[in-house]
Amino acid sequence: MKVAFHTLGCKVNYYESEALKGKFRREGFEVVDFEEPADVYVINTCTVTHLAERKSRQIIRRAKRRNPAALVAVTGCYAQVSPAAVSSLDEVDLVIGTAGRLSLPDLVKRKLAGEGVFDRAEAYGKEAAFEDLPWVPEGERTRAFLKIQDGCRQFCTYCIIPRARGPLRSLPLQKALEYLQEIGRSGYKEVVLTGIHLGLYGVDLKPPTDLASFLEKAVAVGGIERVRLSSIEPWDFGDKLLQVVQENEKVCRHLHIPLQSGDDAILREMGRPYDAAYFGSLLKKLRGALPDLAVSTDIMVGFPGESEEQFRRSFNFVRECAFSRLHVFKYSPRSGTKAAAMANQVSPEVKERRSREMIDLGKELEENFQERFIGRRLHVLFEKVLPGEKGVLLEGLTTNYLRVRAPGPAKLRGQIREVLIKQRGRACIIA
Ligand code: 5AD
């Protein structure tokens, strides 16, 4: 039996797909590339915007076209939030939301054997447990992802994710450390810690802990040379976390801190508990403490009521913040959220134009950031080997998330080396 996966959306989804692949392998399936014919296709979906749902549906159709006889199982946030809509698609055979997924291979086997198997996407209760999909080695063993936290209780007015992911919960500390040790032993040099509201890791554990303490333990794990944090909310960046990052060079000098808007009134309407001035002073503090730091962000355009002046304010603030990279989102009404019911929805044309402007600004800021490092020596963890003009090119990331290519022997994949940055995206290995 061959199973193929396609994953949409965030790093948490990516982690969960890898873990599910491991589970399918242990159940006797062969995991093949999504472009190959398979007996089972698993689509791990995203529901954060209308566009993400549309892409999810496109992939579902593509899977069925590749092998009309295949079983198509749909999981993830779209499946969790809209199980009826998903199961009504002709191409879909099985729907399982974001809980209880370790039983997925078993459900698939029973379905293939002709048993009547029911879709599963029950709404979350307050007592939901952390879905521990055990970490498994994946791909080239260079950079590992680990989900240590799930769920959210923030309820930003635009966001459907609390419904898709359930209440706030953390992977127990002992378990998290075990996975980290396994990651270190398996030859990975870098681990990316992920979660839905990662900054609140540990608050629900008994005894409670926090991300800063966990990070301190993570950098001490044998074999791990880098620990990267995924998204951290601006209000979660306390002095303790900053101190741990500052004192530990192994923590990557890249932080993703979602701004969403640079206009105070819009931030208030979004239910985000900070204003632009707070965000600006946080950036100043972080950059003062962490030289060469890259800060990327999520920015939304066209939130209900966003006037031209408010957009302009947001745009100018984003420029001032000199982010290393932007993820631009057009506001998309998610049914059941507060913002979806707000008057003054912004027209699609206006959203589109603001989005284009913001994306262009993002490109400019990204280039500016990259240019700052030309002529500098940085360390790169090589993850990919690509064909070059003469010999091969290695591609990897610096601690501050610059993606660079350098000529060098393929055997350096999985290794960290010092490079000299020659131009944007290009480097040569010096040590
Ligand atoms: N519309 C547009 N973007 C959204 N995001 C979350 N909800 C919505 C929505 N309804 C964006 C936010 C968040 C990112 C993961 O997705 O910017 O940080």
Side-chain angles (χ1 to χ4, degrees):
M1 277 290 156
K2 289 182 179 174
V3 60
F5 278 73
H6 190 100
T7 308
L8 295 112
C10 66
K11 292 192 172 82
V12 171
N13 260 11
Y14 177 82
Y15 172 80
E16 290 166 340
S17 285
E18 293 305 318
L20 285 174
K21 285 180 198 173
K23 179 70 179 161
F24 271 93
R25 281 195 203 99
R26 290 196 297 281
E27 300 275 334
F29 287 80
E30 181 191 352
V31 177
V32 299
D33 201 88
F34 191 74
E35 305 308 319
E36 285 180 36
D39 305 293
V40 180
Y41 289 95
V42 179
I43 325 292
N44 197 357
T45 58
C46 175
T47 195
V48 76
T49 59
H50 173 73
L51 192 64
E53 290 184 351
R54 192 161 74 208
K55 284 186 191 157
S56 300
R57 288 192 298 271
Q58 281 165 354
I59 299 295
I60 290 167
R61 281 194 287 270
R62 196 183 301 165
K64 200 68 168 189
R65 270 204 305 276
R66 198 148 293 142
N67 178 9
L71 185 153
V72 173
V74 180
T75 182
C77 292
Y78 183 29
Q80 177 69 32
V81 169
S82 307
V86 173
S87 70
S88 73
L89 299 172
D90 287 343
E91 299 85 359
V92 174
D93 300 296
L94 185 61
V95 177
I96 180 161
T98 53
R101 284 185 283 187
L102 284 174
S103 61
L104 186 56
D106 182 51
L107 295 178
V108 163
K109 280 182 189 168
R110 283 163 46 192
K111 187 100 187 172
L112 286 169
E115 247 184 80
V117 174
F118 296 106
D119 293 345
R120 292 187 186 175
E122 265 172 56
Y124 280 99
K126 284 197 182 70
E127 299 304 316
F130 184 86
E131 184 191 40
D132 180 9
L133 300 176
W135 179 83
V136 293
E138 27 138 330
E140 302 294 350
R141 303 201 178 203
T142 54
R143 199 154 60 110
F145 289 76
L146 182 65
K147 178 182 83 166
I148 60 169
Q149 186 281 334
D150 206 341
C152 189
R153 61 179 180 204
Q154 195 66 36
F155 292 95
C156 300
T157 58
Y158 50 80
C159 192
I160 192 69
I161 300 308
R163 212 165 96 208
R165 287 282 171 179
L168 201 73
R169 55 219 192 274
S170 306
L171 179 64
L173 180 62
Q174 213 39 50
K175 211 63 220 177
L177 291 173
E178 270 170 38
Y179 290 146
L180 283 178
Q181 279 150 6
E182 225 179 307
I183 288 168
R185 275 198 303 271
S186 307
Y188 293 82
K189 295 280 186 290
E190 180 176 322
V191 59
V192 185
L193 300 178
T194 74
I196 299 295
H197 191 157
L198 182 64
L200 287 187
Y201 172 76
V203 296
D204 57 310
L205 293 175
K206 292 182 185 81
T209 181
D210 56 41
L211 186 63
S213 317
F214 182 69
L215 201 51
E216 254 181 332
K217 295 188 175 75
V219 292
V221 170
I224 293 178
E225 292 184 29
R226 286 179 173 181
V227 181
R228 202 178 285 281
L229 296 173
S230 57
S231 203
I232 302 284
E233 295 293 354
W235 60 89
D236 288 334
F237 232 105
D239 288 340
K240 186 173 169 198
L241 184 56
L242 175 55
Q243 194 189 341
V244 172
V245 176
Q246 193 176 11
E247 287 171 357
N248 292 282
E249 280 292 328
K250 284 186 182 176
V251 182
C252 287
R253 272 31 186 165
H254 171 224
L255 299 171
H256 185 81
I257 310 179
L259 170 66
Q260 310 301 359
S261 170
D263 179 83
D264 293 345
I266 294 289
L267 284 170
R268 248 188 334 270
E269 291 292 304
M270 288 176 161
R272 306 277 297 169
Y274 56 90
D275 56 17
Y278 169 86
F279 196 96
S281 58
L282 174 65
L283 280 189
K284 209 164 153 200
K285 186 160 74 175
L286 294 174
R287 286 175 171 148
L290 307 165
D292 297 339
L293 180 71
V295 183
S296 52
T297 202
D298 291 347
I299 189 87
M300 206 184 296
V301 298
F303 184 82
E306 186 188 59
S307 68
E308 203 53 35
E309 193 190 338
Q310 288 175 314
F311 167 70
R312 207 44 64 195
R313 201 172 291 134
S314 189
F315 183 92
N316 291 336
F317 186 69
V318 166
R319 168 170 278 149
E320 253 175 59
C321 287
F323 293 109
S324 60
R325 193 189 167 107
L326 302 184
H327 295 177
V328 179
F329 294 84
K330 275 185 284 191
Y331 168 72
S332 173
R334 306 284 73 203
S335 107
T337 61
K338 272 193 190 159
M342 288 177 184
N344 310 325
Q345 298 283 328
V346 174
S347 77
E349 297 73 33
V350 170
K351 281 188 215 171
E352 183 59 36
R353 176 179 50 74
R354 291 179 186 169
S355 160
R356 289 230 173 100
E357 274 194 59
M358 202 59 100
I359 288 170
D360 286 345
L361 173 60
K363 284 186 190 137
E364 183 189 320
L365 295 178
E366 195 168 341
E367 287 180 12
N368 292 347
F369 184 75
Q370 290 175 349
E371 265 162 24
R372 264 178 53 195
F373 294 92
I374 295 173
R376 292 277 307 276
R377 293 162 172 235
L378 299 171
H379 287 86
V380 175
L381 168 57
F382 290 115
E383 294 186 43
K384 284 187 196 153
V385 178
L386 309 159
E389 280 167 24
K390 304 172 239 152
V392 298
L393 284 174
L394 295 157
E395 186 185 284
L397 293 170
T398 63
T399 167
N400 61 353
Y401 216 69
L402 295 171
R403 188 172 294 279
V404 299
R405 291 179 175 182
K411 65 169 196 239
L412 290 186
R413 172 162 45 198
Q415 301 294 314
I416 296 178
R417 286 291 182 275
E418 193 173 17
V419 305
L420 174 66
I421 308 288
K422 308 287 272 187
Q423 46 178 297
R424 281 197 284 122
R426 290 297 172 142
C428 63
I429 298 170
I430 50 178

